[in-house]
Amino acid sequence: MLHLDPAAIHQSQAGGEIHCFTRAPSPIRGVDMQAANLQESTIQDEQRHAAPLERGAFGMPKPQGWPLERVTGLIAGVVVLTTLALGRLQSSRWRILTGFVGANLILNATAGWCPASVLLHRFGRVPTVAERERGHHI
């Protein structure tokens, strides 16, 4: 039998009243409740037996592979450090490229893409995190 959490709140479409369900609803016609319960227990079993995340420094999860988002950050960091060094040693005009990379990092954080990520995805065939999770490799 399907049970809802006593704290589950449902706002009805008509009138905007708030109701709290504390009992299981009546069976829905055409739905096999045993199959639904079996599927729910299977999902719970999979969650319990899933491999725990490996933790690194400061308890952060260790990254798995090199998705597009990680590669983009790596390239940006290398370019920033290189152009700062060149700006100090050669010409201060190198810092223009540093500013361009910074602007692209802001664009990537706000819009979810930057020119480097588009180029890497199209020509470098680097999958995004979402594609890796879905199993869609280019």
Side-chain angles (χ1 to χ4, degrees):
M1 181 177 261
L2 181 65
H3 295 285
L4 294 176
D5 184 0
I9 297 177
H10 171 71
Q11 187 172 1
S12 68
Q13 297 293 336
E17 299 171 336
I18 297 176
H19 302 281
C20 182
F21 297 107
T22 57
R23 291 184 294 175
S26 60
I28 301 170
R29 188 180 321 176
V31 174
D32 183 8
M33 295 307 288
Q34 289 178 341
N37 288 335
L38 179 62
Q39 183 179 6
E40 182 179 336
S41 66
T42 303
I43 291 171
Q44 290 172 351
D45 288 342
E46 288 174 1
Q47 290 172 350
R48 268 187 253 139
H49 298 297
L53 286 175
E54 289 185 49
R55 299 288 177 171
F58 306 109
M60 296 296 295
K62 285 188 176 180
Q64 302 295 317
W66 287 91
L68 178 67
E69 296 82 357
R70 208 168 157 212
V71 172
T72 304
L74 175 67
I75 292 171
V78 168
V79 171
V80 165
L81 291 176
T82 303
T83 56
L84 282 175
L86 288 171
R88 174 97 170 142
L89 300 172
Q90 298 292 322
S91 170
S92 62
R93 290 186 179 189
W94 280 104
R95 293 194 179 120
I96 295 170
L97 184 56
T98 305
F100 178 74
V101 171
N104 282 305
L105 285 171
I106 292 171
L107 177 65
N108 194 17
T110 56
W113 67 274
C114 69
S117 67
V118 172
L119 291 174
L120 282 170
H121 192 259
R122 288 192 182 164
F123 301 116
R125 304 290 188 209
V126 180
T128 63
V129 170
E131 290 172 337
R132 288 174 56 120
E133 287 176 354
R134 290 188 207 121
H136 297 281
H137 294 285
I138 300 172

